Amino acid sequence: MQHYGNLRGSFVGACVVGALALGAIPATGEAQESETLVVGRAMDFNSLDPSRSFCDTCQIYLSSVYDTLVALGADNQSLKPGLAESWTVNDAQTEFEFTIRDGAKFADGTPVEASDVVWTFQRMKNLKSSPSFLMDGMISIEASDPRTVRISLESSNSEFLNKLSAPYAGIMNAEVAAAGGAIADETAAEQDQAESWFLSNSAGSGPFKLVSYSPEAELRLARNDEYWGKKPYFAEVVVSQIQNAVGQAQALESGAIDVAMQVDADTAASIRSDDVTVEIVPSYNFLYIAFAPGAKGMADVLTPKVREALTLAINYDQMVEFTVGGNGAKQAAPIPNGFPGTANLPLREQNVEKAKQMLADAGFNDGLSIMAGYPNDNVYGVDINIMMQKVQQDLKAIDVDLELRPLTYAVWREELYGDGLPMTGLYFAPDYYGAGQYPAYFAMMPGTTWLARSGLEDQEALVNPAAADLYKQALASSGDEAEAIYEQIGLEMMKDNMIIPMVSPNLVLAYRNDIKGVRYSACCNLPLAELTRD
């Protein structure tokens, strides 16, 4: 996810120990209390409003406090019932009917009804905020009775159910949220006043409820005694702000926290405590470089052949070593490894001689100069500066001079949509399990984020008609047929040579030995309600 640059997962990398800003770390005793779970992470909240939130920590919070109609299974692929105990879908995958679970209640004890679902989804659509894309194509939604919701889409979408498993699609208590200033009708984008209310209140039916939130300090949750499902083991969860990997590792070793969420592989290797478990698992996150032929002065420079030459110059095997010390994987297309359509995609390989010849054939016998501007961030254990330095080093071998410009996120975005950035480096994490979100964001198709970013005024010249046609086919298909089509889409995106994955970092799970149930969730990062203490 991070549409809009992907704000998710942004945190400062490992720092000098003497300069640690540990934030509000709980006392050691609190982390060791049997019914209190303490999690350390750099919190990147942009909002606690489910229909405005869009970040990694947001996913953890929302999936703990707000139930979705359908949920992602522990296998990170299959769907299971959530607030909807059952559902039906027509053959065209345009009509969806959900039966709300009998006995499901919000945290205030009132029953979850179909009208709450209607209100929640209408508000998400009408707010026109970051998660609103989940409601794209919805033309009607109605409650035919207190337990039945019917949704109609304008065209086939085999990923609509997957979208509803995203934490941002959590169902709100309409009456309670409306009393806090939330509006669901067409005036929501201009008139809704609930964002500040959500900073100190929640209106969900999930296993936990909000107690308090102190920005840059801590988030506190309490067990929801009205929860319809299995009650969580922990009566209280504290998410404590610890800005960097070293600080999180130290707090974990001391027992000040139970789980550290952003320890990179290098820092994990320094943990010596016998009381700490460290697991390294693959993730669905990735970092990439992107070209913008529409940037000022680049139309005759970043041509298809030049872009291909630049991608051939990069040593992708070394990139994995350079950025994460081998604790990651190469990725072929801007669809994560393990998602539908990726199993047979050919991985990119370096070919310096071919790259040189292609540049010469394109008229750049003496090389060329390109500027790369990118957010000055450390994300998923990867310092983007380091990644871009490796790109710079590899391009030097084909006489391309890459000027590196690390920027604040605000300046990066301003320049991206101003004169444009010929090259940038960025990152992405999934919003739900499903390959369709990636061409919808990265492919050179009308309306996608990266067509707009890459083409500026001359977007049409970059459109790939084959990708658009295949995407429509994929959404009208399912199962093996859809997977085969997504593979073709992946190949088309690779041919475009616009979005080039650099590395898919592994994820470090670090926690005290007495904590059980820690796992990586593709939609929700860390399912807090599944954790227990021995």
Side-chain angles (χ1 to χ4, degrees), residues 136-173:
D136 284 352
M138 184 178 75
I139 55 176
S140 69
I141 179 170
E142 62 177 8
S144 56
D145 62 55
R147 292 184 56 210
T148 306
V149 177
R150 293 195 178 109
I151 299 175
S152 297
L153 306 182
E154 63 184 358
S155 59
S156 300
N157 191 333
S158 58
E159 286 206 341
F160 186 66
L161 284 175
N162 299 67
K163 284 186 174 185
L164 298 187
S165 70
Y168 313 107
I171 306 305
M172 288 177 272
N173 185 323

Side-chain angles (χ1 to χ4, degrees), residues 223-464:
R223 182 193 290 137
N224 174 13
D225 292 330
E226 297 290 340
Y227 185 52
W228 56 267
K230 181 181 179 182
K231 301 297 188 292
Y233 174 89
F234 291 101
E236 180 182 44
V237 175
V238 180
V239 181
S240 182
Q241 170 74 13
I242 307 179
Q243 188 68 17
N244 60 70
V246 174
Q248 291 180 23
Q250 289 182 334
L252 187 64
E253 287 188 287
S254 73
I257 63 176
D258 296 301
V259 180
M261 294 202 63
Q262 293 155 321
V263 173
D264 57 69
D266 285 343
T267 304
S270 70
I271 295 177
R272 295 288 181 264
S273 173
D274 292 335
D275 297 322
V276 173
T277 295
V278 174
E279 299 178 59
I280 298 180
V281 300
S283 80
Y284 295 130
N285 308 327
F286 64 94
L287 290 93
Y288 60 95
I289 61 170
F291 299 114
K296 187 175 181 180
M298 288 291 110
D300 297 325
V301 177
L302 290 174
T303 62
K305 292 299 182 184
V306 170
R307 297 197 305 269
E308 184 178 356
L310 297 176
T311 64
L312 287 170
I314 296 170
N315 190 319
Y316 299 92
D317 294 302
Q318 287 184 2
M319 182 64 75
V320 176
E321 290 294 330
F322 206 78
T323 54
V324 292
N327 285 293
K330 295 195 295 182
Q331 181 175 312
I335 305 175
N337 299 329
F339 270 49
T342 61
N344 300 314
L345 290 177
L347 292 172
R348 293 182 182 270
E349 299 291 344
Q350 184 185 42
N351 190 331
V352 172
E353 292 308 312
K354 183 176 179 181
K356 288 180 177 179
Q357 186 60 54
M358 291 185 74
L359 279 186
D361 293 344
F364 295 100
N365 293 282
D366 299 324
L368 68 151
S369 297
I370 303 173
M371 185 270 285
Y374 51 89
N376 186 18
D377 283 339
N378 186 308
V379 186
Y380 310 129
V382 176
D383 186 327
I384 299 181
N385 277 297
I386 299 275
M387 181 180 83
M388 297 307 293
Q389 287 167 16
K390 176 57 179 167
V391 174
Q392 181 187 52
Q393 179 187 91
D394 288 346
L395 294 186
K396 194 68 176 176
I398 61 169
D399 297 320
V400 172
D401 181 21
L402 186 64
E403 175 195 351
L404 301 183
R405 291 188 58 209
L407 306 165
T408 65
Y409 184 82
V411 172
W412 170 83
R413 185 175 176 82
E414 180 181 344
E415 294 198 12
L416 188 74
Y417 288 107
D419 288 338
L421 295 169
M423 184 190 295
T424 192
L426 218 53
Y427 43 97
F428 201 92
D431 298 312
Y432 58 89
Y433 181 79
Q437 62 195 290
Y438 296 93
Y441 188 64
F442 290 115
M444 295 297 106
M445 304 187 302
T448 67
T449 298
W450 271 106
L451 177 64
R453 289 175 174 177
S454 302
L456 296 180
E457 294 182 2
D458 192 21
Q459 294 181 21
E460 188 63 31
L462 295 172
V463 169
N464 183 334

